Amino acid sequence: MASTAALQEPEDVCLEEHAADDSDSDVIYVDRPTRPARKKRKKNDDKGNTFSATVGGSSFTAVSLQPLLDFLASKYASADCDDTTFDSVAGSILAQYAERRDELEQRHGRDDLGRPYLLLSSSEEVNLIGVLEARSQGSLTVSEALILRKLKLQRHLRTHDLPRPLLQPKNPVTIVGLAPTVRTPEPDPEVLRALYDSPLVVAVDWEVRSPWIHLMADIRAHYALKLGVVQESVAPIMYVTLTAEHLPQVHDILHRSFWSGIDVSDSLQHFPEQATIVAVYKSLVVGCAILSSPVETYITYLAVRAGWENAQIATAMLFHLINRNPNKDITLHVSTNSPAMLLYNRFGFKAEEFIVGFYEAYLDRQSRMSKNAFRLRLRR
């Protein structure tokens, strides 16, 4: 069936549909509005720059192009140009518009009939979503359901689209190399000789670096970049025998590692050069290992300060303690879930007895260490 329509002006018009009695086609005729309606309509057009129309019982409202033309004239028309028609104003940008249109058509392609695909505007998307949702109560085809889902997803992504950070800086960044680190001078040979010749020194380790040493080195490097060169003295981990000046720090380590109330002051009276090993970094005690006496050779305590683990300090202390008591069996008790069991097994200690509740009177009830213990022996 063919339909024809005649619209006289883009103004508020009423379209009435009349069916011809002697024809199979529907013809739409337009009734020209009366003069009062034209005056009222012109007044509304001047006020709101809009016009409306009613076709087949449906009302449509459109916006006048006069504001757009005024904007184009103010931006592109020359000062000495009296003619502000659309052609004279937009003529200079039509070429750019045509080029942009061709670019979009090539990007989005064409359908089977050769017609270019056009992107929907925001209002067209809203209208199409409303139509499809109204029809979704009945039955939608598979393609219509996919279109509805796709449109909703696109609008959701645009609504919640967050600003993305720039992957590359706008201005090129010049990388400046750091100044070479000033190497710390080697220790004074006289100081080294005094250390090694001291009767209290058991061993000196210049190579081992604990997690705490690495942390302090990072902090010094930070301040060196900020404030300049920071002087740092080179110091080893020294293994010495117990002295009175070590006792406060040794007691602090033992209280934190085991339980409060531990006192090893009497070790100073039982041949400390054979029965005690203390690990010291500069003036900080970082570990201790103590025998009850060179006669009994029972290890009462072996502990390392927190932050100085995984630096082989406990291994070194146990090694020197065993070497300073040759040809003697060494015994000890250790909690059944203590990680020190691995250390003692590497040195050849074997379990001889399992004792239930050995640490019941010492450990706090909230302690995670097992109250049961193994009695280990290193046979020589």
Side-chain angles (χ1 to χ4, degrees):
M1 298 176 64
S3 299
T4 58
L7 296 178
Q8 299 297 329
E9 296 176 342
E11 297 176 344
D12 189 9
V13 296
C14 296
L15 305 181
E16 296 181 0
E17 181 178 346
H18 302 276
D21 297 337
D22 54 351
S23 175
D24 294 338
S25 62
D26 296 335
V27 181
I28 300 176
Y29 297 91
V30 179
D31 294 340
R32 188 178 296 278
T34 59
R35 178 59 61 183
R38 291 175 65 87
K39 290 182 178 180
K40 182 178 180 181
R41 181 170 56 257
K42 186 175 186 304
K43 182 177 180 181
N44 291 338
D45 291 345
D46 295 339
K47 182 178 180 180
N49 294 318
T50 61
F51 62 88
S52 59
T54 303
V55 179
S58 300
S59 299
F60 300 90
T61 302
V63 180
S64 173
L65 297 178
Q66 188 60 40
L68 176 60
L69 184 60
D70 295 340
F71 170 76
L72 294 175
S74 63
K75 187 172 183 180
Y76 296 102
S78 59
D80 55 351
C81 180
D82 297 332
D83 187 10
T84 58
T85 62
F86 180 82
D87 293 340
S88 62
V89 173
S92 59
I93 61 174
L94 288 179
Q96 301 178 10
Y97 169 77
E99 182 180 354
R100 180 60 176 169
R101 181 194 61 188
D102 295 340
E103 179 184 347
L104 291 176
E105 289 181 357
Q106 293 177 2
R107 179 186 303 175
H108 300 290
R110 296 176 178 270
D111 58 10
D112 297 338
L113 301 178
R115 296 172 299 186
Y117 293 112
L118 299 178
L119 297 178
L120 296 177
S121 64
S122 180
S123 59
E124 290 174 340
E125 288 183 359
V126 174
N127 293 336
L128 183 56
I129 290 175
V131 172
L132 293 177
E133 286 182 341
R135 292 177 52 188
S136 63
Q137 302 298 332
S139 60
L140 288 178
T141 63
V142 176
S143 60
E144 290 175 343
L146 291 176
I147 291 174
L148 177 60
R149 185 171 180 273
K150 184 71 173 180
L151 290 174
K152 286 185 176 180
L153 180 60
Q154 288 181 352
R155 292 190 63 81
H156 175 78
L157 293 178
R158 284 199 298 267
T159 303
H160 299 82
D161 190 17
L162 298 177
R164 299 179 178 86
L166 294 176
L167 297 181
Q168 295 181 351
K170 295 182 179 180
N171 300 326
V173 178
T174 303
I175 300 178
V176 180
L178 298 176
T181 305
V182 179
R183 295 183 59 86
T184 307
E186 295 295 333
D188 190 350
E190 296 295 333
V191 176
L192 295 180
R193 188 178 301 108
L195 288 175
Y196 287 105
D197 293 342
S198 173
L200 299 178
V201 176
V202 178
V204 179
D205 191 343
W206 293 88
E207 298 180 357
V208 172
R209 289 292 181 267
S210 68
W212 183 264
I213 294 178
H214 289 299
L215 175 61
M216 297 305 297
D218 290 341
I219 294 175
R220 291 189 182 94
H222 169 76
Y223 278 95
L225 292 175
K226 183 178 180 181
L227 304 176
V229 178
V230 177
Q231 294 294 336
E232 177 184 4
S233 60
V234 177
I237 295 179
M238 300 179 56
Y239 299 94
V240 299
T241 59
L242 179 67
T243 61
E245 62 181 8
H246 297 146
L247 287 178
Q249 296 188 57
V250 169
H251 288 158
D252 179 70
I253 294 176
L254 296 178
H255 293 171
R256 295 175 183 271
S257 301
F258 299 105
W259 52 82
S260 60
I262 297 177
D263 189 354
V264 295
S265 302
D266 57 345
S267 296
L268 297 176
Q269 312 300 326
H270 297 90
F271 303 96
E273 64 277 2
Q274 288 183 263
T276 62
I277 297 292
V278 178
V280 181
Y281 177 75
K282 296 183 178 180
S283 59
L284 178 67
V285 175
V286 297
C288 61
I290 299 176
L291 285 176
S292 59
S293 70
V295 177
E296 186 179 359
T297 62
Y298 175 84
I299 299 179
T300 54
Y301 304 105
L302 190 150
V304 177
R305 182 180 293 274
W308 293 79
E309 304 90 348
N310 303 323
Q312 305 298 319
I313 295 177
T315 302
M317 290 191 300
L318 184 58
F319 172 78
H320 294 304
L321 196 63
I322 293 174
N323 283 348
R324 295 178 78 83
N325 295 272
N327 303 321
K328 296 179 181 179
D329 290 358
I330 298 178
T331 59
L332 60 93
H333 287 87
V334 61
S335 177
T336 56
N337 63 346
S338 174
M341 283 286 296
L342 299 176
L343 171 64
Y344 296 130
N345 288 336
R346 289 202 303 269
F347 278 88
F349 285 83
K350 303 297 181 181
E352 293 185 341
E353 185 181 2
F354 175 79
I355 305 174
V356 178
F358 181 82
Y359 293 107
E360 190 72 35
Y362 303 99
L363 294 177
D364 186 82
R365 292 184 178 181
Q366 303 299 326
S367 175
R368 296 184 179 181
M369 293 180 61
S370 173
K371 308 299 189 298
N372 305 326
F374 286 113
R375 178 181 176 86
L376 306 182
R377 179 184 294 272
L378 176 63
R379 296 188 177 276
R380 310 290 292 275

